[in-house]
Amino acid sequence: MIMPPFFRGFRCAIIFLTRVPVGGDGYRDEDWRWSTGWFPVIGLLIGVLLASLWWLCTPQLSPWTIAALSLSVSQLLTGGFHEDGLADTADALGGAYTTDRILTILKDSRVGAFGAMALFGVLLLRASLWVELSDIILVALPLSQGLSRVVPIWLMGSLPYVTRTEAAKSRLVAKAQPAQVLWATLCGFFMLIGATLIELITRDQALFILVAMLVSYGLCYWRFKVRLQGITGDFLGAAQQVSECAILIGIAWTVG
C-alpha cells in the first residue's frame, strides 16, 4: 500500500533538507511538493538534536566552544544547505545589476567577497546569540530552527520560482501550493503556541518571535521581488538564515 503524499512528504523533507540517510525511492512529484509542509518539523528535530548536544557538553565545555561545535554539527546534518544559499544570494544580489547576471552568479559554485562576508557575519551572529541565550538555549535552538523554516514556505506561496531550468533540484519543492503553505504555517503556530502554553517562553517572547518572522518575510519578499521578480532555491536558503538570526534576536531582546 502506497502512503499518501502528505506522509511521504515527511521523508522527502528529510532527504531534501538533511544528509540523514532514510532510504526509500520512487518518490513522485506530489511527494516532493508535500515535503515543504514538513520543513518546520524537520527544523524542529534538528534543533532538538543541537539542544541535546548543548546539554551533554555544558558540564565540560565553555558556551563558545559548544556554540562552535554545534555550528559544525548543524552543517554536517544539513550539508551547509542554507549557508550555501546565503552565500550565493549575497554574491548575486551584491555583485549583479541585471536579471541575467543574477542568475549567472547564482549558478556559479565559487564564493565571492559578498558571499564570504555574509557567511562570516551570519555564523558569528548565530554563535554569539547562542552564547547569549545559553540559559534558555534548550528552548531557543528548537524554536529558531523550526520557525525559521516557515518563512521560506511563505515566500514559496507568494512569489514565483524563476530558475530557468527544469533540471534545478529545487523546482518541485519550491512550487508549494496553498495546502503545503497552510500546513507549514500551522506547524509553526503549534510550536509557538505550545511553547507559550507550557511556559517554555513568555508571551512577550512569542510576540517578538512572530514579529521577527514577519519582518524577515517582508524584507526578503521586498528584495527578491525587486531584484528578480521571484525566488530561487538559493534565495530560500538565505531567507532561512536571515529569519533564524531574526528569531534569535527577538528572543534575546526580551531576556535580561
Side-chain angles (χ1 to χ4, degrees), residues 8-73:
R8 287 171 62 85
F10 179 76
R11 179 180 282 183
C12 289
I14 298 175
I15 295 171
F16 190 78
L17 289 182
T18 77
R19 296 295 178 90
V20 178
V22 293
D25 55 19
Y27 295 108
R28 299 162 295 181
D29 289 358
E30 192 63 20
D31 300 333
W32 288 109
R33 291 192 182 95
W34 262 109
S35 70
T36 58
W38 293 103
F39 280 9
V41 177
I42 303 304
L44 178 70
L45 294 176
I46 292 172
V48 169
L49 288 174
L50 295 178
S52 300
L53 174 65
W54 197 289
W55 178 74
L56 287 171
C57 294
T58 294
Q60 304 298 328
L61 302 175
S62 71
W64 272 105
T65 302
I66 302 174
L69 179 61
S70 298
L71 276 175
S72 299
V73 170

Side-chain angles (χ1 to χ4, degrees), residues 113-135:
F114 291 106
M117 288 187 290
L119 276 177
F120 177 79
V122 165
L123 290 175
L124 180 60
L125 180 59
R126 286 169 64 194
S128 63
L129 285 166
W130 288 355
V131 171
E132 183 172 348
L133 294 170
S134 56
D135 289 342

Side-chain angles (χ1 to χ4, degrees), residues 66-148:
I66 302 174
L69 179 61
S70 298
L71 276 175
S72 299
V73 170
S74 72
Q75 289 163 5
L76 286 173
L77 284 172
T78 65
F81 190 54
H82 303 299
E83 289 86 352
D84 177 67
L86 173 70
D88 288 343
T89 297
D91 279 333
L93 297 187
Y97 299 96
T98 66
T99 297
D100 288 340
R101 184 59 180 158
I102 289 173
L103 292 172
T104 298
I105 294 176
L106 287 173
K107 295 176 185 177
D108 193 335
S109 60
R110 294 171 296 180
V111 177
F114 291 106
M117 288 187 290
L119 276 177
F120 177 79
V122 165
L123 290 175
L124 180 60
L125 180 59
R126 286 169 64 194
S128 63
L129 285 166
W130 288 355
V131 171
E132 183 172 348
L133 294 170
S134 56
D135 289 342
I136 58 169
I137 195 64
L138 300 186
V139 176
L141 271 172
L143 278 181
S144 62
Q145 291 288 321
L147 294 174
S148 65

Side-chain angles (χ1 to χ4, degrees), residues 193-205:
I193 297 301
T196 307
L197 289 177
I198 61 177
E199 298 184 349
L200 294 177
I201 59 174
T202 66
R203 284 181 290 181
D204 286 345
Q205 287 172 333

Side-chain angles (χ1 to χ4, degrees), residues 140-220:
L141 271 172
L143 278 181
S144 62
Q145 291 288 321
L147 294 174
S148 65
R149 285 165 172 82
V150 176
V151 173
I153 311 304
W154 290 347
L155 291 169
M156 291 181 197
S158 54
L159 286 172
Y161 185 68
V162 297
T163 299
R164 296 172 180 171
T165 173
E166 288 301 308
K169 64 181 180 180
S170 302
R171 65 181 180 85
L172 293 175
V173 174
K175 296 178 180 178
Q177 302 299 313
Q180 289 92 47
V181 176
L182 176 60
W183 178 242
T185 302
L186 286 175
C187 288
F189 176 81
F190 291 144
M191 292 177 201
L192 193 57
I193 297 301
T196 307
L197 289 177
I198 61 177
E199 298 184 349
L200 294 177
I201 59 174
T202 66
R203 284 181 290 181
D204 286 345
Q205 287 172 333
L207 178 60
F208 271 72
I209 289 172
L210 180 59
V211 170
M213 292 171 66
L214 292 173
V215 169
S216 299
Y217 166 75
L219 289 175
C220 290

